[in-house]
Amino acid sequence: MPTRAIKAIFFTRFHHEKGSRVLHQVPEGSITPSKTPSALAEPLFSFESITSYLIPTQQFCDRLLTFCISKCRVIGYPVCIREGKYSRNEFIFNFALVVEEGLADWVAFGEVVRKLGRLLRGLEEQGGFLSGEEEGRGVWEDDGAGEEAGLGFGGGSKVYALCEMVLEDLNNYAECMIPIDDSNTINLKLFPTRPPPPPIHAHTVPLLTISLSTLSTPISSDLTLSRILPYINGINSVSHIAQLADTDLSLTRKAIQHLVYYSCLVLLDIFSFGAVYAPTAEIGGFIVDEGVKEECMRYVAVPRIRWGSNSNRGAKLGSESDRGRGGGGGGGDERSSSISSSTSQHSETYTSASGFPAATDADPAPSDSHPLTHDTLITLYTSLRQGLTLRNWVLDNLPLLSGIDIRRLITFGVIKGFLYRVHKYAIATSLNLPPAPPTSLQSGAQSTVGGGHAYRDSDTSTIRGHLNTSHITQQHTNANHHTNASGLHHKPSLASTTTHTTTNLFSPGAIAERQAEEVTRLDSLVSDGVEGGLPLVKFLDGMHCFDEICTELGMSEKAVEGKIRGVGEVQVFSR
Amino acid sequence: MALPLPPASNLQAILLVTKSRSLGPRLVFHYPPISPSAAALAANKAPVWFGNETSTGSVGSDSSSSDWDSSTENDGGDDDAEAGSKTSGGRTSGRTGTSHREEKKLRPGAGGAWGRQESIDEEDAEEGAEGGKAGGGARAMGGDRDWDTVLGFKVDALEKILCPGKSFNKRKFELGVESVVFVGAPMFVREDGLWKKRKKRRKRRAEERVQNGDLLANLALSDSDEDAASQDESKSKSKSKSKKKEKEDDFVFPPGFEPGYGHGLMSGAASGAVSEAGSDTRSNSTTNDNPDMTMFNVVFVLNPPALEYQLRTKNMYDNVTKKYAKALKYEQARFQYVWKESKRIIDIKQRAKENGESLSATWRKIINTSPLAKSLATMFDAISNDKIAHIHFDASFNTSFQIPQADSTPYLPNALEPQMPGLWLTTSNVVIDDDNDAPMTQHAALLLLEDPEVILKDIQGDKGNAAALAFYIRNIVPTKSLLKISNKHNILAQDMEFIAGHLVYWRRARLIAPLHPGDTYIVSPNADMSNMQAAISAYAMRFPTLPSLPKMLSLLSGNPKPYKSFIPTAEHRDAYMDILAWLMRGGWVTQLRTFAWVRVSPEIKAQVATEMEREAVLKKAEDARREAWDTESLNESLLSDKRSSFLSAGGATARPGTPLRRTRRDRESDDDNAGAESNMILSPRTAATGWRGSPARAASDAGSTSSARTTIAYPATTQRPLSPAQPSNTNTKPTHHPSPLHLNPTSPSPSHPNPSQTLSPTSPNPSLPSTHHPSIILSPTKASSLETRWLEKIGHTFRDPDLREHWPMLLRHLDGRHAIEDVSPREGLKRKRVAGLFGGVREGGWLVIVRHW
């Protein structure tokens, strides 16, 4: 909220004989010339030319009226009380304030003025708060006397005091509490206007920007909100959160929208190693800005450096680094506090740690005490590009990635806006529901993904293997499913290019990416696949990204891709 | 906010108010005839930021978001209700009841909502009940018969409040009633009863004509039937040229009467000529001493969302309200246009009202009768739909109005920001505020946003200019820069540029980097997916035999490759370039541009440091007082002694030999060090102060033996103690200081020079690369002296003489803000040549390269 935005506050009354007159103004002389020693030399604008807007016809009374004059914006709320006790049966006043014309968020002040106007109306109606002051004090006497009376009157007037206090308090503290009498208190606060929250899609990933869990009092009595909070960790998608918290999806979305509205969280995409990220035009800002690089370094660094010399890496790695990540989150970076609860959740995606064993295996020497430098960060970020999956990027840059939490590295870029997720879309050009043999078009689409298809697949399998081991140690549930899954993991060759299109539907190896929930769904998925991709078709209009399709259908990307190929001629493209 | 907001004029009505001696304030005309109530407008505030929501529909996102909207906005409704229940007088409560119900009813409808009878009726009924005045009965007849209220206000109150005092003459009139704002530009008659200054008018008009004639002159219209115009042609041409010079940097458009396509092109000439010929006499004759009308005010009624309030009102005032009022004033000055028309409109309304005719029928009649009313209607229909309004005032004066829209943005909005899908994503339109940058306009190509035929059809109305303009438009191709086109067709470059600016301003074209098969294009992340289905069929109509739109997008979404790799044969080239132009036009694709910075390797730094050290030493050696010292080594030891004491005093720098050169670079390297530390063990930064003057460092200095000329402090030393567990002698890298041959490295980077790795406590040679960190030179043109030396040094490493020669030129573009693709047109080199040069530098590993739009 801008401080000292209010330039003046004044109280105007309409007199049936004398016309409109400013009875109180703070500071003195800001609206009409005043002889007070402390008065401003020059009024902010000419009062005469705006009287018709301060005391308008009844049509415009009891509304918020604003108008601009001499680079000032006058915000008033003219009130007209019609009662027999007043002369001409009317009591018209306006308690207005003046701000800069260009003030962006003047609406907040408008709300204050509106509230004040209504309060004063109520006070006047209840006990003549305003009219009582005018009696016998000669406010309406003509000039000389009026001025003088006004002068003395300024000290004793409650309304004048109100003007003064509102101005000072709102300018200094953006809020005020002014007791009027035993039963009335004026409470005002400037609420900044916030942008409308975007619609929350089920496939977006919320990440808290402030630590809500450290607040001493619960932030809300909203049950949905309090249930989902522990699961908001920058990894889980909205629909996954709803599942984990056992809340209704639409309520969850609404609760998250609330958090977005109050800027408590940012929205990310679902992180996976199959995703593609590329720099935006703002990457230049990252390269130039030392501060951001420092911040990035703190955010992405895996605190444990020494594990490279550790001889028995392997089974424990996943959980260990995970814990480390949580611990690192606790110390310092506020954003990371939301991560600390993520220990058990990493099965959602590859944990970044699961890439490390490969790193050390490949190149143990540099991973020893490899310091993270700005240069490394720049090299890493600039080497991301369209058409390059994160998986391949990791393989390309393994030596540089030691000591770096890959997910955080990517997330940092997305949060700062210098990376963007390249989403994949599918569009059906012609539908033939019985699974069609792969056509030349599909192979064309394949080839654009890059020549190194086979290479990629074989390499993924190594990562997958590591991931798998960590899973064995960590997952104690779903034992039979798990063995099932791990067995499948060890058949990575299934996903090679040649067999891709034909066997994909039934090749469970493709489903390796989302583990916990996906594995349980394996059976239904396969049977679903046999029936054909009817629910899928509505997503094939080019408006639904793969994240969305996967979330909605509860399938892995590979599975979806496989089904899509069964649907007919479908073009897959990314933007 | 840097992000452009989606165009939304929020225009809800236009009112014309006059004040005359005979009739007083009078609301002459409003459009649309049946207006929504102000309360309804106030309630309808949801911004269009996320308009293109592509929900799956599986969850009731629509309902949820609209619920949400009503709770987030500061809506008057709730407050009103609250206050209404408190207050004793029934006035407010009646009003709020309306607003509440209206809110619910009108919410879904943004544009055409006010055609709805029922909501208006209800409003009227409410008003009738509430007001209890005589007019209540008449109003109860229904919206279409409601002659007494406009926007839910009584007409007499409204016309009074919209007639401001004389102090608002030519100023912005902005009156907000709740969140509805009335924006006007009141025009007052002068004291002498004229609408234009008499004395200076001749001169000013002449000048104005030149300005208006600009376009005409540039078009070189020989077949113009306007005498004045052709007469002035040569004169104004020379003038306009000089004016063009000033305008070259960015497209400035002549203020006031920019013509739009189809109407305006000759209006400038026409107005100029006619005004010259007719206005003097006519205005003199028609204005008498006591003019009836003293003021008119065209008021545009908007209901902008709170956050966009300033932007929307400013846009409306600056681009439409003010200009339109000026145009009207000009017409008024010429022949009492506004007042004559007003009287006519008032007359028709009066009769219709007496006959009890319906509003809509009357309005049709008025619009058909009065060009002024018609212009208001046209204006409203166009502007409220964010289109260009072509206004036809009278036979001799046409002009166009619009609120300009962004045609590109460098920012990709994130999920929380206002979305503008379909907006072209590029940095090529970003003006880099460098003094030495020539504008790119001449090197840009013009991409017509509509087919030439469509544009040509639109300008058919212009007898004279159409032919000339058609010539330009037909010759515009998106693959050739304006410069090339003008050279080829013998068109004056300024003319070309002016035409281009004109087309761009009036949303007929965009300036783009010339499309080239050698450039890389990607699917724009900002492409409008909701438009896909329509685009597919449009595309299929246009390119029936070529790969489909999804196929093309699919091709372009893989690994970024030059566009030519998608073109199957040379014969397909033109067709594929057409496709590319089509895709660019729709914002489906954008060019992937390359940006680069120079990365200075530690080796270079070490080398330069060594040289500088030697220079310093030599300088000292020349010093008379140092004559006694005849050997370099002695010199050196002294220096290092001196320095170490200096250092212990606490004022250490990395390069004490050249304290004056301590610039940003030094600070950066300090930062680097600190950064390296903190990321290693998360050690507190305070350590940084300790190690500089540490005895260990001094000792290592003294013990420097390997190099004959080494006097550089060794900040990296202390990284070792910070990581005690590090094996001390892991480094097996050669630590000799590099020769120039070494410096033409095969692979210094992009792999990651690892300073601490090469660190050896026994040979802390300051001229070793290991003492330095690679760094990036952010702006070679503003490089510090040290940075300049590095760059020079890098230049020396190039073996290719051509590259060496062009290195300074290349450097100008290696600041991460200039696209490498722009080098060729800017510097007048062939694309291949630039690619070769650039490739040479890149091979050396001197660049940090990033590609984005």
Side-chain angles (χ1 to χ4, degrees), chain B residues 222-483:
Chain B
S222 51
D223 51 350
S224 165
D225 48 355
E226 304 284 348
D227 283 347
S230 50
Q231 260 176 16
D232 282 346
E233 198 176 288
S234 54
K235 186 176 71 187
S236 58
K237 194 163 196 169
S238 59
K239 268 197 186 175
S240 70
K241 251 188 231 166
S242 62
K243 210 180 295 166
K244 258 336 101 40
K245 285 265 162 55
E246 303 161 15
K247 289 178 180 176
E248 249 168 23
D249 291 27
D250 47 351
F251 276 94
V252 180
F253 301 93
F257 303 104
E258 299 95 335
Y261 260 101
H263 296 268
L265 270 179
M266 76 169 188
S267 73
S271 65
V274 172
S275 74
E276 193 68 10
S279 69
D280 280 14
T281 50
R282 257 189 254 173
S283 62
N284 285 350
S285 64
T286 47
T287 56
N288 49 29
D289 291 333
N290 206 1
D292 198 3
M293 183 172 75
T294 55
M295 187 222 58
F296 69 87
N297 191 8
V298 192
V299 182
F300 289 70
V301 184
L302 321 178
N303 64 336
L307 282 172
E308 301 167 22
Y309 180 93
Q310 299 281 12
L311 174 79
R312 303 297 185 195
T313 51
K314 184 179 188 303
N315 276 346
M316 184 61 75
Y317 179 74
D318 289 349
N319 297 298
V320 181
T321 313
K322 189 166 70 177
K323 290 178 180 175
Y324 183 62
K326 268 190 186 166
L328 283 185
K329 188 180 182 184
Y330 166 71
E331 291 286 277
Q332 170 70 13
R334 279 168 68 200
F335 43 79
Q336 298 284 318
Y337 177 82
V338 177
W339 185 229
K340 267 198 246 165
E341 292 291 327
S342 297
K343 280 196 287 196
R344 203 193 308 186
I345 295 168
I346 292 170
D347 198 41
I348 298 172
K349 272 169 71 176
Q350 193 62 39
R351 262 184 283 144
K353 191 177 173 183
E354 280 161 10
N355 298 337
E357 285 169 30
S358 74
L359 276 180
S360 41
T362 314
W363 250 247
R364 270 195 293 278
K365 197 169 150 198
I366 293 174
I367 288 168
N368 287 332
T369 318
S370 162
L372 176 59
K374 191 172 169 67
S375 80
L376 285 167
T378 315
M379 179 73 96
F380 177 83
D381 291 339
I383 299 294
S384 62
N385 290 316
D386 307 309
K387 297 212 170 74
I388 298 173
H390 305 293
I391 302 293
H392 179 85
F393 288 100
D394 59 53
S396 61
F397 184 37
N398 305 317
T399 185
S400 302
F401 302 90
Q402 67 159 341
I403 295 175
Q405 297 174 1
D407 72 345
S408 69
T409 176
Y411 302 105
L412 179 65
N414 66 31
L416 304 177
E417 287 162 337
Q419 307 287 312
M420 275 192 79
L423 188 66
W424 181 35
L425 200 61
T426 186
T427 52
S428 67
N429 282 1
V430 176
V431 179
I432 304 167
D433 43 347
D434 268 1
D435 322 321
N436 52 354
D437 262 5
M440 282 294 285
T441 314
Q442 282 294 329
H443 303 300
L446 204 59
L447 175 69
L448 295 177
L449 296 179
E450 285 156 85
D451 290 331
E453 289 71 32
V454 177
I455 299 178
L456 291 175
K457 216 174 109 191
D458 278 359
I459 59 168
Q460 284 306 312
D462 289 346
K463 306 147 242 157
N465 309 342
L469 203 61
F471 176 69
Y472 290 90
I473 289 174
R474 282 190 210 285
N475 283 316
I476 286 170
V477 282
T479 48
K480 290 237 168 24
S481 71
L482 294 181
L483 198 64

Side-chain angles (χ1 to χ4, degrees), chain A residues 484-485 488-489 491 494 503-512 522 526:
Chain A
N484 185 13
L488 296 170
H489 285 318
K491 295 192 283 181
L494 266 183
T503 59
N504 224 338
L505 270 180
F506 305 99
S507 103
I511 314 167
L522 202 71
V526 171

Side-chain angles (χ1 to χ4, degrees), chain B residues 92 106 177 468 473 586 603 627 661:
Chain B
T92 37
L106 283 181
V177 181
I473 289 174
E603 287 81 5
E627 273 170 10
R661 287 191 194 269

Side-chain angles (χ1 to χ4, degrees), chain A residues 66 103 197 258 372 375 548 575, chain B residues 56 68 80 176 310 527 599 679:
Chain A
T66 58
L103 182 67
H258 276 79
L372 189 51
D375 202 52
E548 186 178 350
R575 62 149 202 175
Chain B
T56 61
W68 174 256
D80 269 331
Q310 299 281 12
R599 187 204 312 253
N679 97 68

Side-chain angles (χ1 to χ4, degrees), chain A residues 11 57 66 95 140 155 171 301 358 465 506 529 560 565:
Chain A
F11 178 73
T57 55
T66 58
F95 192 99
W140 295 104
N171 271 348
F506 305 99
V560 169
R565 290 186 202 294

Side-chain angles (χ1 to χ4, degrees), chain B residues 132-192:
Chain B
K133 292 207 170 173
R139 262 178 273 129
M141 284 165 70
D144 211 14
R145 309 274 170 201
D146 181 11
W147 290 89
D148 293 329
T149 59
V150 168
L151 294 162
F153 299 108
K154 290 202 196 63
V155 168
D156 52 349
L158 198 59
E159 54 199 14
K160 254 181 227 133
I161 210 162
L162 294 180
C163 284
K166 179 104 199 205
S167 59
F168 280 94
N169 189 15
K170 293 194 207 163
R171 295 251 181 82
K172 181 169 77 165
F173 171 80
E174 185 184 326
L175 173 70
V177 181
E178 293 295 331
S179 65
V180 177
V181 59
F182 296 81
V183 184
M187 293 292 177
F188 287 79
V189 74
R190 290 166 45 81
E191 296 287 329
D192 56 11

Side-chain angles (χ1 to χ4, degrees), chain A residues 156-175:
Chain A
S157 164
K158 279 186 170 177
V159 183
Y160 180 83
L162 190 65
C163 291
E164 225 171 13
M165 284 161 82
V166 169
L167 178 88
E168 284 306 313
D169 286 2
L170 286 190
N171 271 348
N172 288 326
Y173 314 113
E175 60 184 15

